Amino acid sequence: MCSQFQSETDTEIFAHLIQNALDKATVNSECDFIAVVQEALLPIEGNYALGILNVQYPDQLLFIRQGSPLIIGLGDDACFAASDIPAILSYTRRMLVLEDGDIAQLTRKGVLVYNSNGDEVQRPISTISWDPIRAEKGGYPHFMLKEIHEQPRAISDTLAGRLSSEQGRVYFETAFVPDDIILNIDRVLIIACGTSFHAGLTSCYDYERILGIPTSAEFASEFRYRNPILNDKTLVIAISQSGETADTLAAVDLAKQKGATVLSVCNMIESTIVRASDYVIYTHAGPEISVASTKAFVTQLVSLQLILLYIGKNRGILRKKELQTLTQDLLHLPTVASNLLSSEQQIQHIARRYAYAQNMLYLGRDIHYPLAMEGALKLKEISYIHAEAYPAGEMKHGPIALIDKDVPVFFIIHASSVREKVIANMEEIKARDGKIIALTLPQDEEVKRVADHVIEVPSISPHVDSILLSIPLQLFAYYVAVHRGTDVDQPRNLAKSVTVE
Ligand code: F6R
């Protein structure tokens, strides 16, 4: 007999299903209870992660996952369950990641894990090296500001032990894509969402320019709904801070079905996307708590550069001298990024001036266009100002109609062959009374003449400058949001891990 119930909350369905199954079954032991729970959840389609407590067995908690993340922390005299590592990092660094269909039984004695067949299994225990203090604010008013300031260290950590500047070589601590695949690929396809997508799009320019391999970036949320053409000569790079983004995960699965090799760039050890991929490069950003991604973004850019160098060397595209120079450029980043953070006060001042704008445009050409997209995303998500990014050359095809004295325009005009053309675009804005903030090279007198405000960013080399240019964009968005009094770390309607489609 099938009992009926009413509910307006989808999670309540689980409790009813389990209760129905318990009413029908003979439950004599804790093991029987686990089996009944597994059986009860069989008809459920979709993703979930559940914690289950039954009054008849008050000494145990069950945790079960399907598709959604769930980790178990192992303390000295306590166990923990959470959807991500930072949540329990101040209690323990020993973590166990459940597989889909696993059920974990937490009691005073410890943790037992059963697979979907009900067999007891051992899952590997990872020790997280992140310092729990790094998951706290450490004197900063917001996690976002702290994480912006942590970027020089995050870049160093992502490079640490991976580069030899004398040899011009890159080493990865995890198994990397083997040479026969690297030599065989004729295309790189980057899939990701949000800020991670912007990191991918930024890297496309260098992959094509330096490696000469056709490279494109796609929103994972779109990729899965068409019939993408890929094969075993496609290297798919899936980028995700959390490793749990549902659309990116689905895109990884689709790419694998189509025969592509999938390499993930991820910040979360043993996350679902990592486990679904063939290979992984970890970004060592450390825990990122603020919903707006900052240090994860720059470490994604750094990791994509490391992959570029590795492919360039192993395909024989980059010679030793070039590799040495590119490697040196990366190694300079932490120091230059640190110096750049000292221009914070000036950015704070400009941000205050434009904090009450209703709309803003971000413009750039070439590799600076995806950065403009990232700048606009940062601003809109934490300040709620409507901000749009356009390729500067597209202005005259429509958006220039928006320009007047109340629409500030943020230009990214840095070391690039299209600098002159961007200056012409700035003049067009100026002629329509638009206010211009320019992110530019030090002592660029021509830009200074046209722009209302200039934020100077030194250049190391065009292939790593994007990493530096990200920092003022983040600081500007942060200080605008602070002036507007929004909830910077937890903006409305947003979640840190987007585990639903
Ligand atoms: C924006 C932001 C989001 C994420 C996106 C993908 O600051 O954080 O746009 O980048 O939700 O998340 P991950 O990288 O975890 O797949």
Side-chain angles (χ1 to χ4, degrees):
M1 197 183 74
C2 182
S3 43
Q4 290 191 346
F5 56 85
Q6 278 193 327
S7 172
E8 289 181 0
T9 316
D10 53 1
T11 41
E12 282 177 12
I13 293 170
F14 291 96
H16 285 293
L17 276 175
I18 293 168
Q19 188 57 53
N20 279 353
L22 281 171
D23 291 345
K24 282 189 256 159
T26 319
V27 179
N28 295 321
S29 69
E30 290 178 356
C31 281
D32 290 344
F33 175 50
I34 291 172
V36 169
V37 168
Q38 286 188 309
E39 180 81 20
L41 299 181
L42 279 180
I44 299 281
E45 287 177 17
N47 298 339
Y48 55 83
L50 304 174
I52 300 163
L53 178 63
N54 185 321
V55 279
Q56 277 164 4
Y57 299 104
D59 291 338
Q60 67 169 355
L61 272 167
L62 299 186
F63 289 91
I64 183 162
R65 66 164 280 191
Q66 185 64 48
S68 295
L70 186 55
I71 52 156
I72 306 294
L74 308 170
D76 291 337
D77 49 14
C79 305
F80 309 86
S83 60
D84 59 10
I85 294 172
I88 53 176
L89 202 55
S90 43
Y91 304 103
T92 179
R93 295 194 201 179
R94 294 174 64 233
M95 311 275 174
L96 176 157
V97 182
L98 297 182
E99 304 263 325
D100 271 348
D102 278 357
I103 189 159
Q105 182 192 37
L106 275 59
T107 63
R108 281 181 217 287
K109 288 185 237 143
V111 178
L112 293 175
V113 179
Y114 301 90
N115 65 15
S116 50
N117 299 325
D119 302 324
E120 191 183 327
V121 286
Q122 302 294 326
R123 298 293 178 217
I125 296 171
S126 308
T127 304
I128 308 300
S129 56
W130 301 345
D131 183 342
I133 296 299
R134 276 161 52 181
E136 290 167 14
K137 279 189 203 154
Y140 286 92
H142 297 102
F143 279 111
M144 182 174 176
L145 188 60
K146 173 177 176 260
E147 288 161 10
I148 291 172
H149 278 266
E150 282 173 345
Q151 291 180 111
R153 187 209 42 79
I155 297 168
S156 299
D157 287 356
T158 304
L159 295 174
R162 288 172 162 178
L163 280 180
S164 151
S165 53
E166 284 122 68
Q167 302 293 320
R169 284 196 63 166
V170 177
Y171 307 90
F172 292 116
E173 63 283 7
T174 41
F176 194 68
V177 185
D179 274 358
D180 56 334
I181 298 181
I182 290 196
L183 294 175
N184 192 39
I185 53 173
D186 62 6
R187 178 178 168 216
V188 176
L189 176 64
I190 303 178
I191 46 177
C193 295
T195 287
S196 299
F197 168 75
H198 296 152
L201 196 60
T202 307
S203 297
C204 288
Y205 291 78
D206 286 331
Y207 276 54
E208 294 205 322
R209 202 169 290 164
I210 301 177
L211 296 179
I213 304 176
T215 306
S216 53
E218 288 201 39
F219 286 115
S221 51
E222 286 295 312
F223 172 80
R224 50 184 297 207
Y225 296 113
R226 45 189 198 81
N227 188 17
I229 297 172
L230 340 170
N231 55 35
D232 62 354
K233 291 184 172 214
T234 315
L235 175 65
V236 167
I237 304 181
I239 311 173
S240 176
Q241 186 285 129
S242 61
E244 304 296 347
T245 301
D247 285 315
T248 310
L249 177 61
V252 165
D253 290 339
L254 180 61
K256 283 187 71 179
Q257 275 166 33
K258 293 192 171 256
T261 300
V262 179
L263 165 67
S264 55
V265 172
C266 193
N267 197 37
M268 288 296 184
I269 291 165
E270 285 297 313
S271 55
T272 314
I273 289 174
V274 167
R275 285 182 299 131
S277 307
D278 299 303
Y279 304 95
V280 57
I281 299 300
Y282 284 113
T283 51
H284 294 303
E288 192 179 63
I289 312 293
S290 165
V291 164
S293 186
T294 52
K295 60 179 181 167
F297 177 69
V298 301
T299 57
Q300 288 165 351
L301 290 173
V302 169
S303 304
L304 287 159
Q305 285 292 329
L306 291 172
I307 296 168
L308 178 152
L309 294 184
Y310 192 99
I311 296 178
K313 174 167 185 353
N314 290 35
R315 276 174 76 114
I317 299 163
L318 294 171
R319 286 184 304 256
K320 190 167 174 187
K321 189 88 200 96
E322 291 168 302
L323 284 160
Q324 283 171 329
T325 312
L326 294 170
T327 307
Q328 282 294 349
D329 294 341
L330 282 169
L331 291 168
H332 280 131
L333 274 170
T335 318
V336 184
S338 270
N339 295 340
L340 197 54
L341 283 163
S342 56
S343 59
E344 191 172 350
Q345 270 200 338
Q346 184 215 356
I347 297 172
Q348 191 173 358
H349 180 74
I350 304 171
R352 190 179 307 129
R353 178 103 187 246
Y354 294 102
Y356 294 98
Q358 304 226 326
N359 298 287
M360 254 191 97
L361 283 174
Y362 281 71
L363 302 180
R365 282 179 186 245
D366 194 350
I367 197 164
H368 303 141
Y369 167 53
L371 280 182
M373 293 169 82
E374 176 56 11
L377 176 63
K378 268 320 64 108
L379 186 72
K380 74 182 104 177
E381 71 177 320
I382 59 169
S383 74
Y384 317 146
I385 293 178
H386 171 238
E388 288 230 47
Y390 267 94
E394 282 295 304
M395 283 304 286
K396 56 185 162 304
H397 300 289
I400 201 158
L402 296 171
I403 302 299
D404 64 18
K405 62 178 184 15
D406 297 322
V407 179
V409 183
F410 209 123
F411 270 92
I412 300 154
I413 169 165
H414 210 245
S416 150
S417 58
V418 289
R419 180 182 159 279
E420 294 300 323
K421 292 191 189 299
V422 183
I423 291 184
N425 297 135
M426 290 172 66
E427 303 270 16
E428 286 157 14
I429 303 292
K430 195 84 199 152
R432 285 154 185 88
D433 293 333
K435 291 276 173 276
I436 297 178
I437 306 163
L439 201 53
T440 190
L441 286 166
Q443 272 104 47
D444 189 329
E445 298 306 324
E446 226 178 331
V447 171
K448 275 191 190 162
R449 183 181 53 77
V450 191
D452 295 280
H453 311 273
V454 162
I455 302 167
E456 295 184 345
V457 177
S459 170
I460 298 178
S461 150
H463 78 112
V464 295
D465 287 349
S466 309
I467 296 163
L468 299 173
L469 288 163
S470 318
I471 296 175
L473 292 170
Q474 297 163 351
L475 284 169
F476 179 79
Y478 171 77
Y479 281 112
V480 168
V482 168
H483 287 305
R484 289 170 71 100
T486 57
D487 186 348
V488 173
D489 284 333
Q490 190 55 258
R492 66 187 181 201
N493 309 337
L494 290 173
K496 186 67 187 158
S497 296
V498 185
T499 55
V500 290
E501 288 177 30

